Amino acid sequence: MLIDLMRHGETQMPGRLLGRTDPPLSEAGWRQMERQTAGRSWDVVVASPRRRTEAGAARVAAKRGRTLRIDADWAELDFGAWDGRLPADVRADPEAAEAFAAFYGSPDAAAPPGGETWSALVARVARALDRVLAEPAASTALVVTHAGPMRATLALTCAIPFANLWAFSIKPGTRITLRAGRDNTAGLWGEIVEVVQP
């Protein structure tokens, strides 16, 4: 199956850690969605339940006569007490800075205060990916999601180690096309076909 993973466009709160915090798309974000989906079609359109993903995906699905499927497992990582803050502001607090560095350094490090670990994110993205791959008679899918779930999908399908995931720039509006599937012997597999920055 060909899966287009697309990060929602720029929001009205750019540069912040947006997990549960859910600002709407900016005008630039809507233009990014339009450019990245123009001239393309999919059998299945799926989105995270956040309005910054759902709104754009709903427009894409409606234009193509598809029903939008909302899947909570594609939601962004919950950043807990850091949610909605600028990374620089979190790092300005020495105690938080140490926890922040540990969190980004290891998938099994402690979660942000009141938040979610990377491992928990990967586990739910694995479930969501299985549902996409199990879609009957579908050969193409668009998943409008967030940078965290996109990195988790790359780790799961392409066996990219956690530390190497930060080599991918996934700005708002980025689209990554994967060819992915599940083999009875080898399990989940994938290859990156295309990366299109906004």
Side-chain angles (χ1 to χ4, degrees), residues 39-62:
R40 301 176 73 84
S41 186
W42 299 273
D43 300 323
V44 176
V45 180
V46 182
S48 150
R50 303 292 183 238
R51 68 176 169 175
R52 61 190 185 270
T53 51
E54 187 176 343
R59 185 180 290 183
V60 169

Side-chain angles (χ1 to χ4, degrees), residues 80-147:
W82 303 338
D83 217 292
R85 297 177 64 190
L86 292 167
D89 292 344
V90 176
R91 287 191 293 264
D93 174 351
E95 186 177 320
E98 188 175 327
F100 193 75
F103 173 68
Y104 275 93
S106 168
D108 296 314
E116 181 180 24
T117 63
W118 283 109
S119 296
L121 171 68
V122 171
R124 61 180 169 79
V125 168
R127 294 191 303 264
L129 188 56
D130 277 344
R131 286 190 289 274
V132 170
L133 292 171
E135 286 284 347
S139 61
T140 59
L142 171 66
V143 178
V144 183
T145 184
H146 313 268

